[in-house]
Amino acid sequence: MAMAKFYQYFNRTLVASDDRMDERVFAFGDGFFSTIGVYQGEILFAELHRDRITHGLTIFKLNLDVDEMMICLSELAHQMTEGMIKIIITRPKQSLRGYGFLAAQPAQVFIKVMPSAIYQGVSFVKGIPIQPTMARQMVCLTHKLSHRPPHLAGMKLIGSVEQVFGHAELLHRQRADDSILDGLVANVHGEWICATMGNVFYRLGQDWYTPLVDKSGVLGVMRRAVIQSDLLGDVKERVLSDADLDLIDGLITTNAVRGMTAMSMLNGRKLAHTFG
């Protein structure tokens, strides 16, 4: 039987290609990922990343010695000193055709190391990076997140098309207004869930809250770290609705690499409380 051939179409020409089309991460987005901050040669919140990876492996029915992998990641962190590590975990190629799989398989792991002085001028409180206070605006975007099935709730999936279009909308808004740093994104139920690149915490009265991620969004590592740290007090999970937007007087985005970033404005309205 003749072997399959692979091509890429480029500039009216067929160019011979490799077999990346058969990689499940390419064809189906069959996997998940984590982006990890590194500071002074150490992984930030390594145990929380380890927990999230372990959970993802369970959901995707993949086998991997997480402890051994974390040792390797720690060695990379020590070598790079400061920057980011991105890890993608996916199902390997299989003989079975189509979407499905028949049994648990060894995980396929891809790692990208990006040395960079990303924490210059950033303070650390209880190990959490706190971005310096400055004028930053968040605006509400129109793009919506879908309702995920329960077993995929909160996961950082490779198939992130919703985030692709949400961030594209943000870039369009930023071209018209360079004061905009990030966008607030709702789900199909009209509940405001997250920023385009992280979770959010919002202040009503004297208390801080964070939206639930049981239907949409990602259960972020830094979100968990902030809640556990008590930096914002006793944070409660709560639906963020349209009615709350004019009452919010504090707003923070969190990201596994950047840490905490306080916003000074929401939809052009100045926020009274800034953290930092």
Side-chain angles (χ1 to χ4, degrees), residues 28-68:
F28 308 132
D30 185 12
F32 60 97
F33 72 101
S34 271
T35 308
I36 301 168
V38 174
Y39 180 62
Q40 295 183 343
E42 300 290 336
I43 291 174
L44 297 181
F45 302 101
E47 283 304 308
L48 295 183
H49 281 287
R50 183 192 182 283
D51 290 347
R52 180 159 73 174
I53 290 168
T54 300
H55 174 70
L57 291 166
T58 300
I59 295 300
F60 277 82
K61 294 181 171 57
L62 293 169
N63 299 321
L64 178 68
D65 189 327
V66 181
D67 290 333
E68 288 295 328

Side-chain angles (χ1 to χ4, degrees), residues 55-100:
H55 174 70
L57 291 166
T58 300
I59 295 300
F60 277 82
K61 294 181 171 57
L62 293 169
N63 299 321
L64 178 68
D65 189 327
V66 181
D67 290 333
E68 288 295 328
M69 186 193 68
M70 292 302 296
I71 291 173
C72 291
L73 293 180
S74 295
E75 292 172 352
L76 288 174
H78 180 72
Q79 294 168 14
M80 71 187 294
T81 306
E82 186 173 341
M84 298 165 50
I85 297 174
K86 181 173 182 179
I87 174 171
I88 291 176
I89 298 178
T90 182
R91 200 177 317 282
K93 297 176 186 177
Q94 58 181 28
S95 57
L96 182 71
R97 295 185 63 184
Y99 294 96

Side-chain angles (χ1 to χ4, degrees), residues 202-220:
Y202 62 97
R203 191 172 185 262
L204 289 173
Q206 300 299 314
D207 298 316
W208 285 93
Y209 302 90
T210 189
L212 289 84
V213 290
D214 57 338
K215 297 191 290 290
S216 310
V218 173
L219 185 63

